Amino acid sequence: MECVVQGIIETQHVEALEILLQGLCGVRRENLRVHEICLKSGPNLGAVASEVRLICNLEQTEPTWTVRHIGGAMRGAGAEQISVLVRTMVESKASKNVLRLFYALGYKLDHELLRVGFAFHFQRGTQITVTVSSVNKMLQLHATDEAVPVTPGIQLVEVTAPATSENYTEVVAAVSSFCEYLAPLLHLSKPGISTGVVPTAAAAAASLMSDGGGTTL
């Protein structure tokens, strides 16, 4: 399982967000360049549609592939009362022939994206990952060098944390608590719930940029 929230930020404020994250996390950022291929199952694989994502880390000397299957989100009154999405997620490493394998199984290409930006991995009540990236689409199949931004001037921010059925309440609390520190720059909510940019972002970014993150927000 994983807990996740997303938000958007204007590209002009990304440097300020990086300064804030550096101060909060105390770890160095990692460059992010990920090729993501989304596949959907064909009718031969059952009536219920299945979706898998093949993720290739292009930052590594030898690009590595990961298969990620995102299942359903937690439902019920308890799930509606929390601001973090809790969903099932299975991930495993794969060989470079993984795309050919899924095509042979009957999966079809739905879309592909290139995410470029940075990430922070750190411990704060739980293991948390923050990614900040520009989402780009390919004009030609697998042509990552020719990718163009889907939303120019806007970057996606995602906060994720692994969880289990036993500890997800503690993980949700840790993620929610961390997100409060980012509130002056962006609003984070469950994926699919668009909240836009926050009106305080420009002033908060200016404050962070002026003293390198020393200001308490």
Side-chain angles (χ1 to χ4, degrees):
M1 299 177 71
E2 71 172 358
C3 298
V4 56
V5 287
Q6 291 179 345
I8 58 173
I9 188 170
E10 292 178 89
T11 302
Q12 61 184 333
H13 301 323
V14 166
E15 188 177 351
L17 176 60
E18 183 183 348
I19 290 173
L20 178 58
L21 288 170
Q22 183 77 57
L24 290 170
C25 307
V27 297
R28 298 186 64 177
R29 63 170 247 179
E30 295 180 11
N31 290 332
L32 186 75
R33 186 176 173 82
V34 171
H35 181 197
E36 185 175 303
I37 300 175
C38 179
L39 303 173
K40 290 194 174 179
S41 59
N44 62 310
L45 294 172
V48 180
S50 172
E51 178 182 298
V52 296
R53 293 177 183 270
L54 308 183
I55 299 166
C56 183
N57 183 352
L58 301 177
E59 272 296 319
Q60 296 189 358
T61 308
E62 184 70 29
T64 57
W65 287 90
T66 301
V67 179
R68 178 180 295 169
H69 178 266
I70 296 175
M74 189 176 74
R75 301 180 183 275
E80 293 175 3
Q81 293 171 6
I82 58 178
S83 59
V84 177
L85 183 73
V86 182
R87 64 190 182 190
T88 58
M89 191 274 293
V90 179
E91 193 174 81
S92 62
K93 298 295 183 183
S95 74
K96 61 183 179 182
N97 297 319
V98 65
L99 182 58
R100 190 182 307 165
L101 169 65
F102 275 97
Y103 280 158
L105 290 173
Y107 280 81
K108 305 292 184 184
L109 175 66
D110 185 67
H111 65 270
E112 58 179 341
L113 300 169
L114 178 69
R115 300 180 186 273
V116 181
F118 58 87
F120 284 91
H121 306 278
F122 56 96
Q123 188 79 25
R124 197 181 182 95
T126 187
Q127 185 64 38
I128 295 176
T129 296
V130 181
T131 60
V132 183
S133 61
S134 167
V135 181
N136 304 271
K137 61 183 178 181
M138 259 65 84
L139 300 178
Q140 297 182 49
L141 187 66
H142 308 332
T144 54
D145 292 337
E146 301 172 18
V148 296
V150 175
T151 52
I154 296 290
Q155 298 207 22
L156 176 69
V157 181
E158 188 172 66
V159 180
T160 59
T164 66
S165 56
E166 288 79 29
N167 75 350
Y168 76 86
T169 52
E170 290 86 355
V171 176
V172 165
V175 171
S176 298
S177 176
F178 175 76
C179 289
E180 291 178 8
Y181 291 104
L182 309 183
L185 282 174
L186 77 157
H187 182 75
L188 293 155
S189 58
K190 295 177 181 178
I193 301 176
S194 178
T195 53
V197 297
V198 298
T200 57
S207 176
L208 282 161
M209 295 298 290
S210 66
D211 63 4
T215 301
T216 301
L217 298 176

